[in-house]
Amino acid sequence: MDIYIGGVSTTRFGELWEKSLRGLIKEASFDCLVDAQVEKKQIEAVYVGNMLSGMLSGQQQLGPLATEEIGLDVFSCRVEGACASGGLAIHEAVNALLAGKFKTVMVIGVEKMTDRNQDFVSMGLMAAGSDAERQAGATFSALYALMAKAHMEKYQTTSQMLAAVAVKNHFHGFLNSKAQFPFTITIEQVLKSALISDPLRLLDCSPLTDGAAAVILTTDSKLVTRQNKVMIKSCEVATDTLGLAQRKSLTELVATQKAAQKAFYQAGISPSDVDVAELHDCFTIAEILALEDLGFYKKGEAAPRVLKGETRLGSKGLVTNTSGGLKSCGHPVGATGVKQLVEIVMQLRQDAGKKQVEKAKVGLCQNVGGSGATAVVTILTK
Amino acid sequence: MDIYIGGVSTTRFGELWEKSLRGLIKEASFDCLVDAQVEKKQIEAVYVGNMLSGMLSGQQQLGPLATEEIGLDVFSCRVEGACASGGLAIHEAVNALLAGKFKTVMVIGVEKMTDRNQDFVSMGLMAAGSDAERQAGATFSALYALMAKAHMEKYQTTSQMLAAVAVKNHFHGFLNSKAQFPFTITIEQVLKSALISDPLRLLDCSPLTDGAAAVILTTDSKLVTRQNKVMIKSCEVATDTLGLAQRKSLTELVATQKAAQKAFYQAGISPSDVDVAELHDCFTIAEILALEDLGFYKKGEAAPRVLKGETRLGSKGLVTNTSGGLKSCGHPVGATGVKQLVEIVMQLRQDAGKKQVEKAKVGLCQNVGGSGATAVVTILTK
């Protein structure tokens, strides 16, 4: 069964103190209906991806909250898998469509993170990790720093190479009017920024962000009136242990590898076919791992190539994180997986404006929960 | 496609201070594998229903936590819809099976509620309600008390009639070795218990509970070696507004009505065919509403009939909440929807011991989130 993208939208990402959780949900969902040119009564179900609203806003049951805001009384529920909540919500929506339960479904990703103090939010985010790591005082920067150290030791990856990921993504984010930090940075600035968790510096890390994104998925091709009909070819999920201590290797995310294998097989597409990808660059090292674990580069080869300018807009071959990625566009955790899909759809529709990748035909999203416990890989074509 | 129940289990319900969230997940999932007589490698996906672990235990991403505990690296995610989280997790698992994504799936419902002080837990639970209700200081007892008052006024329902629900469910719970409060009570005791929110008294209310339950669902009939093969005929969800203020009526839960209509239609079964049902009696009035909204009784007729002894073990016709319901068995919110399924499966297998409903062939579960914003109705046969 073919699954088409009816419409997409994202709110602006950033410190949106003037906007509530409800307001963000409403804005993203109504903009998405407008983009899709469908009436709300055609939406038969709503999936919401969100991680922290219970802990940070004292609000759960976001499924009915969303349908209440949209003005529907259809099926709805919230799906949670830490920073992969958005991707998982898409996966559940795809399943429901494949099961024939619904024809047209909306997926909303949302997170409101900047209204509480940062220590509290950091504690909240660590709820995505293992008990042992949390109790030992580790933060996600510390966990990804461990992976970065191991990668540097094994493959001679340098801080400059990591910094190049942030520089590239800020270059892309500079072209994105929805981005939290729409400005360019240099490698020198990254290397001079405050050390957060050795070797990761402030500008290696994605920020705390408010924002929402929405997509409408449908099996009814007539509902999609655009010429460029974008389709989801596959959406696959794999898991790994919550904690790093239980894993065999610190230089790979096995969940990403497994989800990618399933997704490429299902779509009948190979990594070399992909023109544009949104990768989960919560930290610069995470994009390097993703480029390798998804099969775009051999292990140890991605980092020097990114430093040379590969994966940057204008370069030949694959371009990654044209939205600015989590680093520059921002990372409202439950929204991220949905925003990735929005960006890829815009690219495949040739609607990405200044950040358009020429002749983009095949796109991929990779959304990760925690330090790699959940990975969602979605492949799209037009 | 037919969906069979491979196996079921519940932990004991109660104040289980000696057991952790992880421990409960492990106990329920391994007991379920034993009951199903399948090896863990046959489980291709795990859905976890849970509401409060982020807020109360600082732990989210329970999907990978569960697969880590079981020793699997398959797809997993957490589904949340307040007290309907367990029922929603079953719904998502059923969709995944119908989509052909997996053949055999485990659903785990879990909640750990008694380790924190009760005010904090009450605040957490109100995250299932509307912002306005929470900010006005309403608790769920207050919201259901409003519904009880309206029902009493409109249909001459009495406190004795409400109390009869609790008395019946405690009579059933007395026969359930897993129940939190396995003792009988009298109508007089209910009417003399402390007033919580007029007209609801302490013994009209379900308790805070720790516990977990698990089921294995499969489309592979050969995997089920038992003679009595129990099947899910339908699992449907509907939603309503989060808040009571936006609803037209306080004496009905429209989400339950809509989910029931869809579920009965899908199953090709009518209310009069149902022999045994687990209903969401978070408060005594909730079971009265459910008996009416599900179509077992006309509006206003359920309460006097329950007072006369209908729906009680040994009575002719439908018997409800043989597990003891949320009232006597306990209400670990994310586990409740899954435990309901476990009880109905035990009944249809004729494995319910002293609480067995004779010749039970058709069963129903009704699981509600918040004050009726989410309702899940599942129909089973053997």
PDB file of all heavy atoms in Angstrom, chain A residues 50-66:
ATOM      1  N   ASN A  50       5.718  13.113  21.714  1.00  0.00           N
ATOM      2  CA  ASN A  50       6.140  14.062  22.745  1.00  0.00           C
ATOM      3  C   ASN A  50       6.845  13.298  23.835  1.00  0.00           C
ATOM      4  O   ASN A  50       6.452  12.194  24.184  1.00  0.00           O
ATOM      5  CB  ASN A  50       4.926  14.802  23.339  1.00  0.00           C
ATOM      6  CG  ASN A  50       5.293  15.632  24.547  1.00  0.00           C
ATOM      7  OD1 ASN A  50       5.258  15.155  25.677  1.00  0.00           O
ATOM      8  ND2 ASN A  50       5.683  16.869  24.322  1.00  0.00           N
ATOM      9  N   MET A  51       7.901  13.888  24.388  1.00  0.00           N
ATOM     10  CA  MET A  51       8.598  13.226  25.490  1.00  0.00           C
ATOM     11  C   MET A  51       8.240  13.801  26.850  1.00  0.00           C
ATOM     12  O   MET A  51       7.906  13.084  27.757  1.00  0.00           O
ATOM     13  CB  MET A  51      10.119  13.321  25.306  1.00  0.00           C
ATOM     14  CG  MET A  51      10.893  12.685  26.461  1.00  0.00           C
ATOM     15  SD  MET A  51      12.691  12.870  26.371  1.00  0.00           S
ATOM     16  CE  MET A  51      13.148  12.069  27.940  1.00  0.00           C
ATOM     17  N   LEU A  52       8.332  15.129  27.023  1.00  0.00           N
ATOM     18  CA  LEU A  52       8.489  15.705  28.358  1.00  0.00           C
ATOM     19  C   LEU A  52       7.302  16.492  28.899  1.00  0.00           C
ATOM     20  O   LEU A  52       7.412  17.093  29.960  1.00  0.00           O
ATOM     21  CB  LEU A  52       9.721  16.626  28.349  1.00  0.00           C
ATOM     22  CG  LEU A  52      11.075  15.926  28.154  1.00  0.00           C
ATOM     23  CD1 LEU A  52      12.139  16.945  27.789  1.00  0.00           C
ATOM     24  CD2 LEU A  52      11.471  15.155  29.399  1.00  0.00           C
ATOM     25  N   SER A  53       6.162  16.521  28.192  1.00  0.00           N
ATOM     26  CA  SER A  53       5.120  17.447  28.641  1.00  0.00           C
ATOM     27  C   SER A  53       4.587  17.101  30.028  1.00  0.00           C
ATOM     28  O   SER A  53       4.167  17.984  30.769  1.00  0.00           O
ATOM     29  CB  SER A  53       3.973  17.518  27.632  1.00  0.00           C
ATOM     30  OG  SER A  53       3.196  16.349  27.688  1.00  0.00           O
ATOM     31  N   GLY A  54       4.608  15.818  30.391  1.00  0.00           N
ATOM     32  CA  GLY A  54       4.193  15.453  31.748  1.00  0.00           C
ATOM     33  C   GLY A  54       5.118  16.070  32.774  1.00  0.00           C
ATOM     34  O   GLY A  54       4.684  16.739  33.718  1.00  0.00           O
ATOM     35  N   MET A  55       6.424  15.889  32.575  1.00  0.00           N
ATOM     36  CA  MET A  55       7.405  16.355  33.548  1.00  0.00           C
ATOM     37  C   MET A  55       7.540  17.874  33.552  1.00  0.00           C
ATOM     38  O   MET A  55       7.711  18.484  34.591  1.00  0.00           O
ATOM     39  CB  MET A  55       8.763  15.720  33.258  1.00  0.00           C
ATOM     40  CG  MET A  55       8.738  14.209  33.362  1.00  0.00           C
ATOM     41  SD  MET A  55      10.269  13.447  32.765  1.00  0.00           S
ATOM     42  CE  MET A  55      11.251  13.498  34.256  1.00  0.00           C
ATOM     43  N   LEU A  56       7.484  18.504  32.368  1.00  0.00           N
ATOM     44  CA  LEU A  56       7.779  19.944  32.298  1.00  0.00           C
ATOM     45  C   LEU A  56       6.530  20.819  32.310  1.00  0.00           C
ATOM     46  O   LEU A  56       6.586  21.956  32.752  1.00  0.00           O
ATOM     47  CB  LEU A  56       8.619  20.257  31.050  1.00  0.00           C
ATOM     48  CG  LEU A  56       9.964  19.522  30.938  1.00  0.00           C
ATOM     49  CD1 LEU A  56      10.758  20.068  29.768  1.00  0.00           C
ATOM     50  CD2 LEU A  56      10.772  19.632  32.221  1.00  0.00           C
ATOM     51  N   SER A  57       5.409  20.306  31.818  1.00  0.00           N
ATOM     52  CA  SER A  57       4.197  21.136  31.754  1.00  0.00           C
ATOM     53  C   SER A  57       3.051  20.567  32.585  1.00  0.00           C
ATOM     54  O   SER A  57       1.966  21.138  32.596  1.00  0.00           O
ATOM     55  CB  SER A  57       3.723  21.282  30.296  1.00  0.00           C
ATOM     56  OG  SER A  57       4.769  21.697  29.453  1.00  0.00           O
ATOM     57  N   GLY A  58       3.258  19.424  33.237  1.00  0.00           N
ATOM     58  CA  GLY A  58       2.175  18.823  34.024  1.00  0.00           C
ATOM     59  C   GLY A  58       0.989  18.444  33.150  1.00  0.00           C
ATOM     60  O   GLY A  58      -0.147  18.408  33.618  1.00  0.00           O
ATOM     61  N   GLN A  59       1.251  18.157  31.891  1.00  0.00           N
ATOM     62  CA  GLN A  59       0.156  17.842  30.971  1.00  0.00           C
ATOM     63  C   GLN A  59       0.467  16.551  30.218  1.00  0.00           C
ATOM     64  O   GLN A  59       1.491  16.470  29.543  1.00  0.00           O
ATOM     65  CB  GLN A  59      -0.027  18.988  29.968  1.00  0.00           C
ATOM     66  CG  GLN A  59      -1.163  18.777  28.976  1.00  0.00           C
ATOM     67  CD  GLN A  59      -2.538  18.804  29.637  1.00  0.00           C
ATOM     68  OE1 GLN A  59      -2.930  19.807  30.185  1.00  0.00           O
ATOM     69  NE2 GLN A  59      -3.247  17.672  29.612  1.00  0.00           N
ATOM     70  N   GLN A  60      -0.398  15.565  30.362  1.00  0.00           N
ATOM     71  CA  GLN A  60      -0.248  14.341  29.569  1.00  0.00           C
ATOM     72  C   GLN A  60      -1.494  14.181  28.705  1.00  0.00           C
ATOM     73  O   GLN A  60      -2.188  15.142  28.442  1.00  0.00           O
ATOM     74  CB  GLN A  60       0.000  13.148  30.488  1.00  0.00           C
ATOM     75  CG  GLN A  60       1.224  13.372  31.349  1.00  0.00           C
ATOM     76  CD  GLN A  60       2.068  12.126  31.534  1.00  0.00           C
ATOM     77  OE1 GLN A  60       3.204  12.077  31.120  1.00  0.00           O
ATOM     78  NE2 GLN A  60       1.508  11.123  32.163  1.00  0.00           N
ATOM     79  N   GLN A  61      -1.716  12.961  28.237  1.00  0.00           N
ATOM     80  CA  GLN A  61      -2.860  12.652  27.374  1.00  0.00           C
ATOM     81  C   GLN A  61      -2.955  13.668  26.217  1.00  0.00           C
ATOM     82  O   GLN A  61      -4.017  14.239  25.945  1.00  0.00           O
ATOM     83  CB  GLN A  61      -4.161  12.613  28.206  1.00  0.00           C
ATOM     84  CG  GLN A  61      -5.146  11.629  27.622  1.00  0.00           C
ATOM     85  CD  GLN A  61      -6.431  11.434  28.397  1.00  0.00           C
ATOM     86  OE1 GLN A  61      -7.218  10.608  28.002  1.00  0.00           O
ATOM     87  NE2 GLN A  61      -6.688  12.128  29.466  1.00  0.00           N
ATOM     88  N   LEU A  62      -1.833  13.864  25.529  1.00  0.00           N
ATOM     89  CA  LEU A  62      -1.775  14.878  24.470  1.00  0.00           C
ATOM     90  C   LEU A  62      -2.580  14.488  23.233  1.00  0.00           C
ATOM     91  O   LEU A  62      -2.876  15.348  22.402  1.00  0.00           O
ATOM     92  CB  LEU A  62      -0.327  15.154  24.065  1.00  0.00           C
ATOM     93  CG  LEU A  62       0.556  15.795  25.123  1.00  0.00           C
ATOM     94  CD1 LEU A  62       1.867  16.267  24.499  1.00  0.00           C
ATOM     95  CD2 LEU A  62      -0.127  16.961  25.807  1.00  0.00           C
ATOM     96  N   GLY A  63      -2.931  13.198  23.108  1.00  0.00           N
ATOM     97  CA  GLY A  63      -3.770  12.791  21.977  1.00  0.00           C
ATOM     98  C   GLY A  63      -5.092  13.551  22.006  1.00  0.00           C
ATOM     99  O   GLY A  63      -5.383  14.355  21.100  1.00  0.00           O
ATOM    100  N   PRO A  64      -5.906  13.337  23.044  1.00  0.00           N
ATOM    101  CA  PRO A  64      -7.172  14.085  23.128  1.00  0.00           C
ATOM    102  C   PRO A  64      -6.987  15.590  23.208  1.00  0.00           C
ATOM    103  O   PRO A  64      -7.842  16.337  22.723  1.00  0.00           O
ATOM    104  CB  PRO A  64      -7.811  13.538  24.413  1.00  0.00           C
ATOM    105  CG  PRO A  64      -7.245  12.177  24.565  1.00  0.00           C
ATOM    106  CD  PRO A  64      -5.831  12.274  24.049  1.00  0.00           C
ATOM    107  N   LEU A  65      -5.880  16.052  23.810  1.00  0.00           N
ATOM    108  CA  LEU A  65      -5.644  17.500  23.836  1.00  0.00           C
ATOM    109  C   LEU A  65      -5.522  18.026  22.401  1.00  0.00           C
ATOM    110  O   LEU A  65      -6.104  19.065  22.050  1.00  0.00           O
ATOM    111  CB  LEU A  65      -4.381  17.825  24.642  1.00  0.00           C
ATOM    112  CG  LEU A  65      -4.076  19.311  24.840  1.00  0.00           C
ATOM    113  CD1 LEU A  65      -3.414  19.553  26.204  1.00  0.00           C
ATOM    114  CD2 LEU A  65      -3.176  19.870  23.752  1.00  0.00           C
ATOM    115  N   ALA A  66      -4.812  17.277  21.557  1.00  0.00           N
ATOM    116  CA  ALA A  66      -4.640  17.709  20.159  1.00  0.00           C
ATOM    117  C   ALA A  66      -5.971  17.665  19.411  1.00  0.00           C
ATOM    118  O   ALA A  66      -6.321  18.625  18.710  1.00  0.00           O
ATOM    119  CB  ALA A  66      -3.601  16.829  19.460  1.00  0.00           C
TER     120      ALA A  66
END
